[in-house]
Amino acid sequence: MAAGGAGGNSGGKTYSFKVVLLGEGYKLIIPPLPLQASFLTKKLNITGKRVNLAIWDTAGQERFHALGPIYYRDSNGAILVYDITDEDSFQKVKNWVKELRKMLGNEICLCIVGNKIDLDKDRHVSVEEAESYAESVGAKHYHTSAKLNKGIEELFLDLCKRMMETAQAEERLKGNGASQSASSRRGVQIVDDEPQATPAGGCCSSG
Amino acid sequence: MMSQRRGIHLDQSELLCKKGCGFYGNTAWQGLCSKCWREENQRERQKQIQEDWALAERLQREEEEAYASRHQKAQSQPTITPLNKFEERKTKEKSSKVNTVTKFFIPSTKTPPKKDAVPFDTQSSPSPSSSSSRHSSVDSDHATREFIDFLKPLKSGREIFKQCRAFTESMVYKRDMGADELSECVQDFYQNLSERLQTQFKGSTDHVESVMDEVEKYMMTRLYKEVFCPETTDDEKKDLAIQKRIRALHWVTIEMLCVPVDEEIPEVSDSVVKAITDVIEMDSKRVPKDKLACITRCSKHIFNAIKVSKKEAASADDFLPTLIYIVLKANPPRLQSNIQYITRFCNPSRLMTGEDGYYFTNLCCAVAFIEKLDGQSLNLSSEEFELYMSGQASPHWPQATGASSCSPGNTALNQVHKRLDLLTGLGERQERVMEKARQLESDLIDWTDEVEQKVQSVLESYPPETQNPTATTASGTTSTASSAIDSDNIENELLPPPLQPQVFAG
């Protein structure tokens, strides 16, 4: 990974986030990679904080719907894409939102994405309806066009910021990370950069 | 009365001490009475203590030598260490098959005793079941040595090693705990250690990860036997269940799963075979990371197969069905145990966000899909599904189901015809072979008859010169004949004495 940057620790924390892509529509917005497009990691720098983003593609066919929980377990964010010319795809997004809120509560940042805004003349899902729905479930709505490469960069940057806020709020809630509970272990991993006043042998307080 | 109520009958003799001393035995003491058990146990314990000492001394020496050489190196030419480290890591990757040994360390004489969590007394007290694994300690020593070598260039390598050792040893005493609690212990240890390492390495995540990989390797190599498919869980039952299930699903075809893979292309079928091999190989690895590497390799082959078949990059929509197909074809051994083991004891960060974790999750999905699979998920009616599952019909046998699976049926039918032709051909050849064999048999019989006749005729023309034709009939005459032979020997006394063996100095 970023072996070069290992020495220079300018301070701050490194966040690791897992984002799942659910439903069938998202295939439209992620440009396929030359080798494989089902898993990718991105290293971002957002307001001076390092973020490792892992994006998980999931099988979207209806018969694999029941496997959803295995995929979105422990994820920090979910991207749900619908086609603005297809009312049915918006309905599917609603189903996913219901399921995610039920299973993961408010810890997961939801992005509802209306894709194909280049085809606005064929729009079947109104902007007002989609945005008000997103607001009602605590999600954020985005407009994108994969064809014109519009809005996708913003979507990921915004999602990262929101996930960082969620992680920081959780951190504050837990105190200063002195005693992280077991439940947080598989969640966000926060790496402290501040050198604590411990000599080399400081990690040996066994017994 | 008692035995009747419990529904079992126990003979009184079965309750007695197995040594036959007349006292009652106890199953906790392997059927011995307390006195015999103490004697037996004492002997074994003595032996093990001695073995422990020998081993511990040897390793202690090695450890000290290793540190001594490290210090020398560090003083003379410090630039050489990273190179060494690289080479060590390279050799390490090659040898991953190592056995578990429970414990064999004693605190070093250099170390202040308060730092060591486990006092020597408890380490050397043996438990009967651990004695068997003791013999395979050579491999485990190897893992330990590699770990020490890896930690050598690190500032706090010694401390890390001591902690891991103490923790691994303490785990052995927790083997009666449930698998989830064991997992919890190991995961807590991982977390605590990685937090401290992060402080120490000032946030260099990559460095921390490489150390944690080695820690995982060292610990899980030694704990594998204790924590893989432990008796406290029903992992084994689940293994058998999924194995049976996959076997029952042998009839599932590529078309039913909508797998976008064309096995007619040589490169594709090659990738499929490699993927199957890799997923089967997973069971032979000990360290969770190595097991994950097998899954990742398998997945890469699958991606390659899809890419070549479709001539475009694969998405998860293609990948998951193909993985399911591969799992169905491979029927990997101890699948559930391996999944559970990885989930419980792998480094959490890798499982959560890493690429390995992604493929592992897909494997979990594939297994969940196979478990819950029904007709609907294969685009079959439930009747068809039941027929196939019960073995009354097969999609390869179009007579049974009619036109439902036309295209795979046709190719299957062609194959059946080809094989039938082959079978008739083989039958004819066998007929011919049998005929020849019969011919040979009669020839042989004729030949033996001929030989017999010849011998007979020869015997008749030259009758053997039996001096005494009555010898065979009367026993009395035979005794006289033998005495006559004896008397003949008297004349032999005139012959020179037999040669005596002589000894030659060689």
Side-chain angles (χ1 to χ4, degrees), chain A residues 34-36, chain B residues 260 302-314:
Chain A
L35 237 173
Q36 43 126 325
Chain B
I302 290 175
F303 272 109
N304 188 49
I306 298 170
K307 203 186 86 188
V308 174
S309 303
K310 282 186 79 178
K311 295 181 181 65
E312 63 174 50

Side-chain angles (χ1 to χ4, degrees), chain B residues 492-506:
Chain B
N492 289 349
E493 279 169 15
L494 299 172
L495 293 169
L499 288 170
Q500 291 296 318
Q502 285 185 324
V503 184
F504 291 95

Side-chain angles (χ1 to χ4, degrees), chain B residues 131-313:
Chain B
S131 59
S132 57
S133 63
R134 200 165 288 270
H135 298 291
S136 52
S137 61
V138 185
D139 290 340
S140 194
D141 290 357
H142 192 57
T144 311
R145 213 168 302 133
E146 281 174 356
F147 190 50
I148 292 170
D149 286 348
F150 172 80
L151 293 173
K152 246 190 274 168
L154 299 180
K155 228 186 332 181
S156 57
R158 226 193 151 98
E159 301 304 332
I160 295 170
F161 178 72
K162 254 187 275 171
Q163 281 193 342
C164 295
R165 192 182 68 193
F167 179 76
T168 313
E169 276 154 9
S170 73
M171 283 297 286
V172 173
Y173 298 97
K174 293 176 186 159
R175 90 172 60 139
D176 296 330
M177 267 165 118
D180 292 336
E181 290 163 274
L182 288 174
S183 160
E184 199 71 1
C185 285
V186 173
Q187 296 289 353
D188 280 340
F189 180 79
Y190 283 158
Q191 199 193 358
N192 288 333
L193 187 63
S194 74
E195 270 167 24
R196 265 173 300 186
L197 288 174
Q198 263 148 16
T199 324
Q200 199 190 335
F201 295 140
K202 315 237 169 0
S204 163
T205 322
D206 300 333
H207 204 153
V208 172
E209 268 172 21
S210 71
V211 174
M212 289 309 292
D213 283 351
E214 291 302 319
V215 168
E216 179 194 300
K217 187 172 156 193
Y218 165 76
M219 281 175 40
M220 294 327 292
T221 307
R222 296 186 64 186
L223 289 173
Y224 183 76
K225 275 204 181 137
E226 318 283 340
V227 299
F228 184 85
C229 189
E231 284 164 24
T232 50
T233 63
D234 56 354
D235 288 357
E236 197 180 350
K237 223 168 79 191
K238 284 189 201 152
D239 284 340
L240 294 175
I242 189 81
Q243 200 167 28
K244 224 174 118 192
R245 172 87 177 158
I246 292 176
R247 226 177 284 149
L249 288 166
H250 65 92
W251 47 268
V252 175
T253 61
I254 275 196
E255 288 81 10
M256 290 177 191
L257 287 166
C258 302
V259 177
V261 159
D262 181 6
E263 283 187 284
E264 299 281 299
I265 304 169
E267 194 188 339
V268 174
S269 69
D270 192 45
S271 290
V272 166
V273 169
K274 278 181 185 156
I276 291 171
T277 318
D278 282 328
V279 76
I280 289 173
E281 200 190 339
M282 173 177 68
D283 186 54
S284 69
K285 304 289 184 206
R286 280 164 176 268
V287 185
K289 189 179 162 228
D290 295 342
K291 284 182 188 287
L292 283 176
C294 288
I295 300 171
T296 303
R297 273 206 310 278
C298 166
S299 304
K300 301 267 170 176
H301 287 306
I302 290 175
F303 272 109
N304 188 49
I306 298 170
K307 203 186 86 188
V308 174
S309 303
K310 282 186 79 178
K311 295 181 181 65
E312 63 174 50

Side-chain angles (χ1 to χ4, degrees), chain A residues 1-3 6 9 14 16-18 24 26-27 32-39 41 50 54 56-61 63-64 67 70-71 73-74 76 177 180-182 184-196 198 200-207, chain B residues 114-115 117 155-156 159-160 163 183-184 187-188 191 194-196 198-206 209 256-258 300 303 307 313-321 324 343-344 348-349 351-355 357-359 361-362 364-366 368-369 377-378:
Chain A
M1 290 178 142
N9 35 69
T14 303
S16 291
F17 293 124
K18 170 180 162 185
E24 269 173 286
Y26 65 82
K27 300 277 163 10
L33 297 178
L35 237 173
Q36 43 126 325
S38 73
F39 174 83
T41 49
R50 284 198 301 271
W56 288 37
D57 188 357
T58 63
Q61 294 96 319
R63 59 188 168 140
F64 298 131
L67 304 175
I70 307 177
Y71 279 120
R73 182 174 54 200
D74 295 324
N76 308 93
Q180 277 182 318
S181 70
S184 77
R185 197 176 50 222
R186 285 161 200 257
V188 189
Q189 195 188 10
I190 297 147
V191 183
D192 272 287
D193 274 352
E194 287 88 33
Q196 287 166 19
T198 30
C203 66
C204 62
S205 51
S206 67
Chain B
K114 58 159 179 139
K115 280 195 174 177
K155 228 186 332 181
S156 57
E159 301 304 332
I160 295 170
Q163 281 193 342
S183 160
E184 199 71 1
Q187 296 289 353
D188 280 340
Q191 199 193 358
S194 74
E195 270 167 24
R196 265 173 300 186
Q198 263 148 16
T199 324
Q200 199 190 335
F201 295 140
K202 315 237 169 0
S204 163
T205 322
D206 300 333
E209 268 172 21
M256 290 177 191
L257 287 166
C258 302
K300 301 267 170 176
F303 272 109
K307 203 186 86 188
S315 73
D317 284 355
D318 306 319
F319 173 64
L320 185 63
I324 292 167
T343 316
R344 286 178 193 138
S349 67
L351 222 48
M352 210 189 74
T353 51
E355 193 177 9
Y358 175 72
Y359 296 127
T361 304
N362 272 291
C364 296
C365 283
F369 182 81
S377 43
L378 293 172

Side-chain angles (χ1 to χ4, degrees), chain B residues 1-9:
Chain B
M1 279 289 276
M2 273 270 283
S3 59
Q4 227 172 5
R5 199 173 53 211
R6 305 174 95 197
I8 46 165
H9 177 73

Side-chain angles (χ1 to χ4, degrees), chain B residues 76-142:
Chain B
S76 56
Q77 20 178 192
T79 45
I80 215 159
T81 36
L83 187 76
N84 276 359
K85 198 174 117 190
F86 174 69
E87 275 174 0
E88 278 152 15
R89 216 185 297 183
K90 245 170 60 179
T91 50
K92 237 172 286 170
E93 279 167 2
K94 285 180 194 153
S95 54
S96 55
K97 265 193 99 177
V98 189
N99 275 315
T100 315
V101 106
T102 48
K103 60 249 155 175
F104 48 70
F105 272 95
I106 56 161
S108 93
T109 41
K110 283 182 188 169
T111 322
K114 58 159 179 139
K115 280 195 174 177
D116 231 281
V118 186
F120 176 54
D121 282 354
T122 50
Q123 281 176 47
S124 60
S125 74
S127 41
S129 62
S130 71
S131 59
S132 57
S133 63
R134 200 165 288 270
H135 298 291
S136 52
S137 61
V138 185
D139 290 340
S140 194
D141 290 357
H142 192 57

Side-chain angles (χ1 to χ4, degrees), chain B residues 8-117:
Chain B
I8 46 165
H9 177 73
L10 263 182
D11 197 35
Q12 179 138 23
S13 65
E14 285 169 33
L15 296 170
L16 291 175
C17 172
K18 281 188 180 163
K19 285 232 152 174
C21 62
F23 288 98
Y24 283 101
N26 189 326
T27 46
W29 296 326
Q30 296 172 356
L32 300 171
C33 72
S34 58
K35 197 161 171 285
C36 294
W37 166 247
R38 211 176 304 137
E39 282 172 10
E40 194 75 358
N41 197 25
Q42 202 66 41
R43 216 174 303 140
E44 210 158 279
R45 181 182 291 225
Q46 207 59 45
K47 213 176 95 201
Q48 276 181 357
I49 288 175
Q50 280 171 0
E51 280 176 13
D52 273 349
W53 267 107
L55 198 57
E57 271 172 11
R58 187 159 63 80
L59 282 161
Q60 188 67 39
R61 258 199 321 276
E62 276 166 12
E63 197 187 338
E64 258 149 39
E65 275 167 19
Y67 274 99
S69 68
R70 176 226 156 186
H71 282 300
Q72 279 172 1
K73 259 184 220 160
Q75 279 164 4
S76 56
Q77 20 178 192
T79 45
I80 215 159
T81 36
L83 187 76
N84 276 359
K85 198 174 117 190
F86 174 69
E87 275 174 0
E88 278 152 15
R89 216 185 297 183
K90 245 170 60 179
T91 50
K92 237 172 286 170
E93 279 167 2
K94 285 180 194 153
S95 54
S96 55
K97 265 193 99 177
V98 189
N99 275 315
T100 315
V101 106
T102 48
K103 60 249 155 175
F104 48 70
F105 272 95
I106 56 161
S108 93
T109 41
K110 283 182 188 169
T111 322
K114 58 159 179 139
K115 280 195 174 177
D116 231 281

